[in-house]
Amino acid sequence: MREFRFVFAAHLLSLLGVVVSEIALTVLVYDLTGSPLLSALTFALGLLPYLFGGLLFAGVADRYPARRTLVTCDLICAACVAVMVLPSTPVAALLALRCAVAAVSPVFTGTRMAALTDILGEGDLYVLGRSLLRIVSQSALLAGYGVGGVLLAVIPARGAIGVTLGTFLCSALLLRLGTRKRPARKAAARDNAMRDNAGRDNAKTDKSHGMMRDSLAGAGFLLRDRRIRALLLLFWIPAMFVVAPEALAAPYADAIDAGPAALGLMMCAMPIGHISAELYVGTALSPRTRGRIVLPVAALGLVPLLVYAARPGLGWALPALALSGVGAAYVIGLDQWFVAAVPEERRGSAMTLLTAGLMTIQGLGMALAGAAAEFLPVHHVVAWSGGLGTLCCLLLVREVRATAPEAERTEVRDGSGRQVTTG
């Protein structure tokens, strides 16, 4: 698994750099403007362009070789960060460059996720590899904020942002030297089709489409497929509701007269639950069992948030948040279902759309929770998020079950050891 080690190292470097740069850029914008609004906007601009990039550039992941796409994305981000570091760069340009990095991110992530199926195969190794990268992502959030705080204590904000330049360049080098050169997915699929005398028309059509038109057409194809649409929503909808307690952690801590230390614990509780669940499910459960728990855990994952209806103190709020993080355990089995449902030649587009939608809907969930908290007590907003989210998840579980192929319903496992699970 030499290739995966290089992908893992590149992922860790770039992720730590991004987290550090987010903190540093927020501090830099506030230092330059004194505006809390513009400072907060730097975080929002890390989420909102995901939808734009995911919809308009999703086709890149299938149209070009994965290694070239990954390295190019890293170099584009490095160039953006290099301009951020310049003392003469104005605030408007800093925010525009932040948008550019965020627009590239879903293409990079989607391409990497699709490339994992080439590196690890489509079976259990892929599921465990994806799980490990998610664990790293959650851990990087915990570690990155701490590293960012230490860096900002000893070097200026622009210097801390400069750290990200190095991480992007190192990531590009690792991916260039450590991964194999493979053909673009569409080119490979077209060649296979032409060998079967069925691909001449497809080749002509592919050339006639522009990149953006091709990306939008690919997104439309994926969303029109009932099975793929249901699986995408099962990724997205729980994430939309589960962010409410994190988005409102500061006002809730104030409402229950908890101090800054308690706020930090509340922010860490959900990631810790998530990491613990992924480690347990990935190491202790069989592929078949992981599939069996997808729908029950997805249906009940938001139930712990109902505790907020009683305006709990820290002793009850922390376990509820941790259990909500544990609810993400269903994603491991869902990963395998999604790979099985998406045609190979559209996997890059599908992973890019999945990432873009996930980030966008989390941003939307945070915004809606904040807006609701302007009119309702914070604990009521979190409790309603748990209740409405659970209702939506139950409806989605029903849809996913209805679209499951017969092989998943009967839990048949093939001789190669690939996971075929219940739906």
Side-chain angles (χ1 to χ4, degrees), residues 6-7 24 56 78 88 97 107 125 132 169 238 242 275 291 294 311-312 316-317 344 360 369 385 408-409:
F6 276 86
V7 172
L56 296 186
S88 58
L97 290 167
V107 178
L125 278 180
L132 181 59
L169 291 175
V242 80
I275 293 169
V294 169
R311 198 172 179 268
W316 285 99
E344 183 178 358
T360 302
S385 295
E408 288 183 6
R409 292 175 185 164

Side-chain angles (χ1 to χ4, degrees), residues 84-289:
M84 289 182 189
V85 174
L86 298 176
S88 58
T89 304
V91 172
L94 290 174
L95 297 179
L97 290 167
R98 179 77 174 101
C99 284
V101 172
V104 170
S105 294
V107 178
F108 179 88
T109 304
T111 303
R112 187 191 63 218
M113 288 165 61
L116 283 181
T117 61
D118 299 323
I119 296 171
L120 301 176
E122 301 175 12
D124 201 43
L125 278 180
Y126 167 80
V127 174
L128 295 178
R130 281 272 293 130
S131 175
L132 181 59
L133 292 182
R134 274 196 302 270
I135 290 171
V136 169
S137 298
Q138 292 291 323
S139 301
L141 290 176
L142 298 175
Y145 289 136
V147 171
V150 171
L151 281 175
L152 289 172
V154 296
I155 60 176
R158 288 191 191 272
I161 294 174
V163 172
T164 306
L165 173 61
T167 60
F168 279 129
L169 291 175
C170 288
S171 175
L173 185 63
L174 286 170
L175 292 169
R176 177 63 181 82
L177 299 179
T179 58
R180 287 173 48 197
K181 182 180 180 180
R182 294 181 175 88
R185 291 181 178 277
K186 282 200 170 183
R190 185 169 61 240
D191 291 343
N192 291 335
M194 291 178 71
R195 281 196 295 270
D196 295 334
N197 297 320
R200 294 185 177 88
D201 292 338
N202 289 338
K204 185 183 294 184
T205 301
D206 188 59
K207 290 180 180 180
S208 67
H209 283 181
M211 173 55 62
M212 292 184 181
R213 183 180 176 186
D214 192 38
S215 298
L216 291 172
F221 169 84
L222 295 168
L223 293 173
R224 284 192 299 271
D225 185 288
R226 185 183 176 191
R227 175 66 173 173
I228 295 174
R229 183 175 64 247
L231 295 177
L232 282 171
L233 289 173
L234 199 58
F235 278 109
W236 293 343
I237 297 303
M240 177 180 177
F241 289 99
V242 80
V243 297
E246 288 187 309
L248 301 175
Y252 188 72
D254 182 62
I256 62 173
D257 296 322
L263 174 59
L265 290 173
M266 292 172 68
M267 294 296 291
C268 292
M270 198 175 292
I272 288 173
H274 188 156
I275 293 169
S276 301
E278 290 249 11
L279 284 173
Y280 176 77
V281 173
T283 57
L285 301 185
S286 67
R288 186 174 184 178
T289 304

Side-chain angles (χ1 to χ4, degrees), residues 311-331:
R311 198 172 179 268
L314 201 62
W316 285 99
L318 290 179
L321 291 169
L323 285 174
S324 296
V326 169
Y330 79 95
V331 175

